[in-house]
Amino acid sequence: MENWQQLRNSGNQHFKEAAWLDAQYCYQQALSLIESELSQQLSDRELLFAWIAGMHNLAHLYELQQQSETALYYLKLAHKEVQTLSADESVAVEVRRAAFNSLSITIPPLLDFAKRHPICDDCLSALQETAALVGGQSAAIL
């Protein structure tokens, strides 16, 4: 059985070859394995970052295929999950801190996407406010 890193790498190779369905399959399988591991090891920053990267890989894949709504879905899902996790007081401070810091990786792709594809003004404003918050509060979350 392949691990998530091998699946991600296979997905990347298929992506380079424009084998979209194969890339999608590999990325989704990798995400499934990452999610399974994350459920057991929520504090693993590498897994969290890998999950975000996998979501961004799928978003990029769909955007290249002119499926902007699906691409936006994956970008928003990654952002909303880390935003929710960063505010979840039932998890350890280290987990919340890692999630908060991860917002700095989820916001720029959403803002870039908004430049290429219109999103609602309120959505764009909320993203910009969150970006300012993240930029101004890179300190610890208590």
Side-chain angles (χ1 to χ4, degrees), residues 72-87:
L72 181 58
Y73 167 81
Y74 283 103
L75 291 173
K76 285 179 13 183
L77 182 58
H79 178 70
K80 287 201 159 289
E81 286 295 320
V82 295
Q83 191 173 36
T84 299
L85 188 58
S86 72

Side-chain angles (χ1 to χ4, degrees), residues 21-128:
L21 287 176
D22 292 332
Q24 176 187 342
Y25 175 81
C26 289
Y27 289 151
Q28 288 174 331
Q29 292 300 307
L31 279 168
S32 179
L33 291 176
I34 292 167
E35 288 168 353
S36 177
E37 288 185 37
L38 260 176
S39 71
Q40 304 294 316
Q41 306 169 52
L42 189 57
S43 63
D44 189 325
R45 290 173 51 111
E46 178 187 1
L47 286 173
L48 179 60
F49 293 149
W51 182 80
I52 294 167
M55 299 301 270
H56 288 178
N57 286 347
L58 282 172
H60 191 94
L61 177 73
Y62 283 112
E63 187 176 8
L64 285 177
Q65 296 177 80
Q66 309 303 313
Q67 297 180 39
S68 58
E69 286 184 24
T70 305
L72 181 58
Y73 167 81
Y74 283 103
L75 291 173
K76 285 179 13 183
L77 182 58
H79 178 70
K80 287 201 159 289
E81 286 295 320
V82 295
Q83 191 173 36
T84 299
L85 188 58
S86 72
D88 185 349
E89 294 188 11
S90 71
V91 298
V93 171
E94 305 83 47
V95 174
R96 292 197 318 265
R97 185 176 298 124
F100 182 82
N101 291 336
S102 297
L103 290 170
S104 66
I105 340 173
T106 62
I107 293 171
L110 280 164
L111 292 173
D112 287 343
F113 185 90
K115 291 176 187 173
R116 295 185 302 278
H117 308 279
I119 63 172
C120 74
D121 290 339
D122 289 341
C123 299
L124 186 56
S125 295
L127 278 173
Q128 291 168 335

